[in-house]
Amino acid sequence: MKGLMQAGFLVEHASDGIGALHRALNESFDVMIVDIMLPELDGLTLIDRLRKAKVVTPVIILSAKSSIDDRVKGLQTGGDDYMVKPFAFPSCWLVCMRCFDGRIRWLIPPV
């Protein structure tokens, strides 16, 4: 979170899946970063419920689970991208920016 805030993102935090579900259903976000292993309601169930509720906010899955099966399941559930912990902040930043429907073009000048 600290790196995203330092990069200029407004970051909000939910400490569990139930809180995240409530906020995502009632507030608007540009992108959500969801850990699979959330307490109260796991991240995959959270994403599934959001997609069933027609929430189309891009979701980046963040997980220590690194198998191909875990990644495929996360993407099939409705995740837009899957990042494995630990990760380097620049890769997280780029994944977030890619979720902004190509808006990265105005942030990074062409080479």
Side-chain angles (χ1 to χ4, degrees):
M1 287 187 352
K2 184 179 177 183
L4 291 171
M5 290 187 293
Q6 289 174 341
F9 287 91
L10 175 62
V11 177
E12 298 194 29
H13 177 261
S15 58
D16 62 59
I18 297 291
L21 178 63
H22 176 75
R23 293 186 69 187
L25 291 174
N26 294 292
E27 299 176 43
S28 178
F29 296 96
D30 293 319
V31 65
M32 292 183 282
I33 300 174
V34 176
D35 194 319
I36 288 179
M37 296 167 58
L38 289 169
E40 305 295 326
L41 181 70
D42 70 89
L44 292 180
T45 302
L46 166 64
I47 295 166
D48 184 57
R49 289 187 185 177
L50 291 173
R51 296 308 186 223
K52 286 179 178 171
K54 307 294 187 218
V55 174
V56 297
T57 304
V59 174
I60 300 167
I61 297 170
L62 180 63
S63 179
K65 295 183 174 188
S66 61
S67 76
I68 297 297
D69 289 342
D70 290 324
R71 294 175 193 205
V72 168
K73 186 174 182 182
L75 297 172
Q76 287 177 331
T77 300
D80 294 279
D81 211 324
Y82 194 107
M83 294 187 60
V84 177
K85 297 181 205 177
F87 59 89
F89 173 72
S91 62
C92 181
W93 184 85
L94 286 171
V95 169
C96 286
M97 294 313 302
R98 191 172 58 209
C99 285
F100 290 122
D101 297 324
R103 286 185 263 171
I104 193 169
R105 283 182 235 125
W106 63 265
L107 291 172
I108 300 177
V111 179

